Amino acid sequence: MRKILTVLAALASLSLTNCGYNAIQSEDEQIKAAWSEVVNQYQRRADLVPNLVNSVKGFAQQEKDVLLGVTNARAKVGSIQATPEVLNDPAAFQKFQAAQGELSSALSRLLVVTENYPQLKSDALFKDLMSQLEGTENRITVARNRYIKSVQEYNVTIRSFPSNLAAMAFGYKEKPNFSVENENAISTAPKVDFNPAPAPSK
């Protein structure tokens, strides 16, 4: 009886290997690791925001609306639990992505405002924070690219035969991926006008 069970276990193991079950497991773990790095870099950015806001506040306190916008966007990001379960819930993933997009937009507005304050731009602390933020944004891009690639490989695996059979049997579904928030805006070619602007009438 024991020999029969051993043979059955070996056959089951072989069939799971050939049906892509192990590949699905491996790629699922790669996605979780890539996601952890994305979250790690977003957290690094969120940690920089209070220092950046305080630095700007010291020179441009009158920009209250912009500073408040950044603070609120950061709070919204902090309220979302970016657990690996988010990867199996497209709505939660979309909510996470929207919150991060809101923070990116708020930071962009803050940086536009800082252009009007030469003293702020020459401040050593501000320059250091800007350097850290720039490096973090680059790391976010790299981490997102790795995540996108991992999700692509996983989604192809679970949709390809015969691994799709294992995916269906064990309940593995496609994972959501990052998308471009302003897809309609960037699909329109920008207008370039080389005509000089008309002189102001006197």
Side-chain angles (χ1 to χ4, degrees):
M1 183 68 176
R2 183 176 257 176
K3 282 185 180 178
I4 293 171
L5 289 174
T6 306
V7 169
L8 287 174
L11 287 172
S13 169
L14 267 172
S15 64
L16 285 175
T17 303
N18 293 333
C19 73
Y21 178 82
N22 289 342
I24 293 171
Q25 297 303 308
S26 173
E27 289 169 12
D28 190 45
E29 288 303 317
Q30 285 174 352
I31 288 172
K32 287 176 187 169
W35 176 248
S36 293
E37 186 55 25
V38 168
V39 172
N40 181 39
Q41 295 307 329
Y42 274 132
Q43 184 59 53
R44 179 185 165 91
R45 178 173 74 169
D47 291 343
L48 281 171
V49 168
N51 294 330
L52 192 60
V53 167
N54 287 334
S55 177
V56 174
K57 201 184 285 182
F59 288 87
Q61 198 156 7
Q62 62 272 30
E63 305 290 352
K64 286 181 181 161
D65 288 347
V66 176
L67 295 168
L68 188 63
V70 174
T71 303
N72 288 342
R74 185 199 181 271
K76 196 170 183 182
V77 162
S79 70
I80 297 172
Q81 294 295 314
T83 60
E85 285 71 38
V86 168
L87 304 179
N88 298 318
D89 183 352
F93 186 87
Q94 185 63 37
K95 189 176 172 186
F96 173 83
Q97 187 177 358
Q100 292 295 344
E102 206 174 298
L103 180 55
S104 295
S105 180
L107 283 170
S108 295
R109 286 191 295 277
L110 180 69
L111 298 182
V112 167
V113 163
T114 62
E115 291 298 314
N116 300 323
Y117 298 91
Q119 285 179 310
L120 170 62
K121 284 164 56 180
S122 65
D123 180 66
L125 174 62
F126 179 76
K127 283 165 107 172
D128 180 53
L129 288 168
M130 287 306 302
S131 175
Q132 288 185 55
L133 182 63
E134 186 180 312
T136 301
E137 291 294 345
N138 289 338
R139 288 187 189 97
I140 287 171
T141 301
V142 170
R144 279 176 52 136
N145 285 342
R146 285 185 184 140
Y147 173 81
I148 288 167
K149 190 169 183 296
S150 296
V151 168
Q152 179 190 16
E153 288 172 3
Y154 168 87
N155 286 345
V156 166
T157 297
I158 67 162
R159 292 176 63 199
S160 302
F161 184 81
S163 52
N164 64 333
L165 300 175
M168 281 190 287
F170 292 97
Y172 286 98
K173 294 186 169 80
E174 285 187 58
K175 304 276 189 194
N177 219 330
F178 284 106
S179 59
V180 178
E181 291 136 36
N182 58 343
E183 197 167 341
N184 290 337
I186 63 169
S187 63
T188 307
K191 291 180 181 174
V192 179
D193 187 2
F194 290 107
N195 295 326
S201 55
K202 294 181 181 177

